[in-house]
Amino acid sequence: MADRWVDHLLIGGGMAAAACASELRAAGGTGSVLLVGREPDPPYHRPPASKGYLQGRESRESALIELPGDVEVVTRTSAMALDPAAKVAKLSTKEEVEYGTALLATGAMVRRLQVDGAQLEGVHYLRALGNADAIRADAQGADRVVCVGGSYIGCEVAASLTQLGRRCTIVMLEDEPMERGFGRMVGRHVRAVLEAHGIEVVGGAAVERFAGDERVAAVVLGDGRELPAGVVVCGTGAVPDVMLARKSGLEIGELGGVRCDDRLRTAHDGLYAAGDICEHDSVVHGRVVRIEHEEVAAAQGRTVARNMLGADEAHREVPYFWSDLADWATLEYVGPAQTWDEEVVRGAPDDGEFSVWYLHEGRVVAALSAGGHADLDAARGLIAGREPVGAAGVPA
Ligand SMILES: Cc1cc2nc3c(=O)[nH]c(=O)nc-3n(C[C@H](O)[C@H](O)[C@H](O)COP(=O)(O)OP(=O)(O)OC[C@H]3O[C@@H](n4cnc5c(N)ncnc54)[C@H](O)[C@@H]3O)c2cc1C
């Protein structure tokens, strides 16, 4: 016999669970909602951790996500076990909670570099607000900061710490920053923005090891080059946190997430997944996707809430993502493209106001907007329509 019953149990204290809680109320649900999260903070927005919060411009309070007052939020508490057949979760408080419906939204963890010196003081990763506090404090005394990884975390952190007066270097496997997601042309644009603000960008380079005694002093590259570093921030990707899901016997998909159908349901009655761990059949893309972006987590959380209340709807929102490089540049993107064979550029890349439309076999599969150039609603329509339009059908 469980210790207590709730109508809706939300496991994981991030954006997906928070959005689900709010939507349960907005959609008219009156049942009890219990949100259980492992972190010391109640649900908060992570994006400021590499942007305004890291720069010290935004407070912790402003990052918090507002929740309906009658949602019960328990922090510093993990779901340790889940029995999907009995519909019971066991919490780290030893309490057993029986639920009517449940959401698994345990998010992602940083991917750690397995190289010599990885344990040295001064080597940081960024996932939570507490990591941002540690990076900001540590970087204060550092002459040089090296950011490992050319994706959005590495680039945003380098931009934020440059604004705080630090000298930053980005080192990455790819030739150009952000090129994996957005292609070479956008990558060159991002490099130009970063370099114009004094950031050194080292592409095509693998980190061999971190050198130093107790504290990191340099990043050593595969070709023997040594980059002096008082602080290192690794933005080397994330892995879905499927520990609880795996232990509970849920199916893990090929993309490493919890396998769900187009309604974000797992194979178990009343049990859903959303956010970074959710690997679902996407009716928008016609393939299985798993996406690590805040607005996607929020939209999926809302779909789950409506389905918990009986809507039985497929998740149809076209994924959206943004990245800010300090106040120098903002990139927005809808997609994501798995692959593309044509890029159509509109606007004026040299002025930083342009869009890139990614086509595959004549269909728009993604669009990127720099400086607010593209009509992203038009892009969403073209992506969701999945009809060939060719370059001529792309808005001017
Ligand atoms: C520094 C940073 C900057 C970002 N910037 C952007 C951006 O600019 N734009 C964008 O679109 N996206 C951005 N993202 C990505 C975005 O924040 C994530 O996609 C989003 O947070 C995913 O939400 P989630 O609810 O799935 O998971 P999470 O936010 O990871 O929340 C999951 C929570 O569940 C908790 N948990 C795990 N296991 C358990 C358990 N067993 N019991 C209880 N709790 C558990 C975790 O501790 C965590 O608090 C950024 C991410 C980071 C780290």
Side-chain angles (χ1 to χ4, degrees):
M1 209 24 205
D3 300 306
R4 63 180 289 197
W5 156 272
V6 291
D7 294 291
H8 311 289
L9 174 64
L10 315 180
I11 299 173
M15 178 40 103
C20 181
S22 292
E23 183 71 2
L24 278 167
R25 291 294 178 252
T30 53
S32 51
V33 182
L34 173 63
L35 186 154
V36 180
R38 185 157 68 187
E39 291 190 51
D41 293 295
Y44 60 86
H45 297 281
R46 282 181 206 282
S50 53
K51 308 178 184 69
Y53 183 80
L54 180 60
Q55 293 159 25
R57 285 193 297 109
E58 291 170 28
S59 67
R60 211 174 186 93
E61 289 66 41
S62 69
L64 298 181
I65 302 171
E66 206 176 317
L67 288 172
D70 60 353
V71 167
E72 187 183 352
V73 177
V74 184
T75 56
R76 298 179 194 268
T77 303
S78 294
M80 306 298 287
L82 178 67
D83 179 343
K87 293 182 146 187
V88 172
K90 187 165 186 189
L91 308 185
S92 50
T93 54
K94 306 272 185 289
E95 194 176 36
E96 290 197 347
V97 182
E98 190 177 353
Y99 59 82
T101 61
L103 167 66
L104 204 54
T106 47
M109 305 174 291
V110 294
R111 178 178 283 121
R112 290 184 177 271
L113 276 181
Q114 307 294 334
V115 296
D116 281 354
Q119 309 305 328
L120 288 172
E121 258 176 55
V123 177
H124 295 264
Y125 290 83
L126 178 54
R127 183 77 198 167
L129 291 179
N131 303 134
D133 294 334
I135 292 169
R136 196 186 325 106
D138 211 10
Q140 253 167 19
D143 183 34
R144 294 213 69 114
V145 177
V146 174
C147 295
V148 181
S151 192
Y152 62 91
I153 300 265
C155 295
E156 289 181 356
V157 168
S160 292
L161 295 181
T162 298
Q163 286 229 308
L164 292 180
R166 304 281 77 80
R167 288 199 296 159
C168 295
T169 301
I170 295 173
V171 56
M172 63 196 164
L173 293 171
E174 345 34 312
D175 289 333
E176 304 294 345
M178 300 199 195
E179 80 164 59
R180 281 205 184 143
F182 306 146
R184 266 295 156 94
M185 186 251 149
V186 175
R188 286 199 201 102
H189 168 75
V190 173
R191 174 193 282 267
V193 171
L194 296 167
E195 288 181 343
H197 291 87
I199 295 172
E200 182 189 17
V201 180
V202 181
V207 171
E208 176 81 15
R209 64 189 171 86
F210 299 121
D213 290 333
E214 279 184 15
R215 194 178 167 87
V216 70
V219 176
V220 182
L221 304 182
D223 61 10
R225 267 181 294 173
E226 284 201 19
L227 307 173
V231 162
V232 172
V233 183
C234 301
T236 41
V239 282
D241 185 345
V242 292
M243 273 185 299
L244 177 62
R246 202 185 285 282
K247 197 170 142 193
S248 313
L250 301 190
E251 185 186 346
I252 306 302
E254 284 181 6
L255 305 174
V258 174
R259 198 65 179 83
C260 293
D261 68 5
D262 61 355
R263 282 146 171 74
L264 312 184
R265 296 179 297 207
T266 69
H268 301 272
D269 181 43
L271 181 61
Y272 300 79
D276 288 2
I277 64 158
C278 176
E279 180 172 332
H280 75 286
D281 296 320
S282 168
V283 294
V284 171
H285 305 88
R287 64 175 197 269
V288 178
V289 301
R290 189 183 69 76
I291 297 168
E292 295 171 0
H293 293 319
E294 170 160 84
E295 294 283 337
V296 177
Q300 291 182 348
R302 290 192 292 267
T303 297
V304 167
R306 293 190 294 274
N307 285 341
M308 282 177 161
L309 298 175
D312 193 28
E313 65 180 62
H315 183 66
R316 291 192 179 279
E317 195 148 320
V318 177
Y320 165 86
F321 159 76
W322 83 98
S323 178
D324 291 332
L325 299 174
D327 54 4
W328 314 330
T330 293
L331 301 175
E332 294 175 279
Y333 178 84
V334 287
Q338 187 176 36
T339 180
W340 64 94
D341 50 34
E342 191 177 356
E343 290 181 14
V344 180
V345 181
R346 301 279 197 236
D350 289 345
D351 299 339
E353 280 188 23
F354 65 96
S355 54
V356 182
W357 299 74
Y358 301 86
L359 277 70
H360 185 62
E361 294 173 353
R363 290 190 298 115
V364 174
V365 289
L368 176 133
S369 170
H373 182 267
D375 177 350
L376 292 181
D377 282 338
R380 286 185 180 93
L382 291 170
I383 293 166
R386 300 180 62 203
E387 294 294 329
V389 293
V394 169

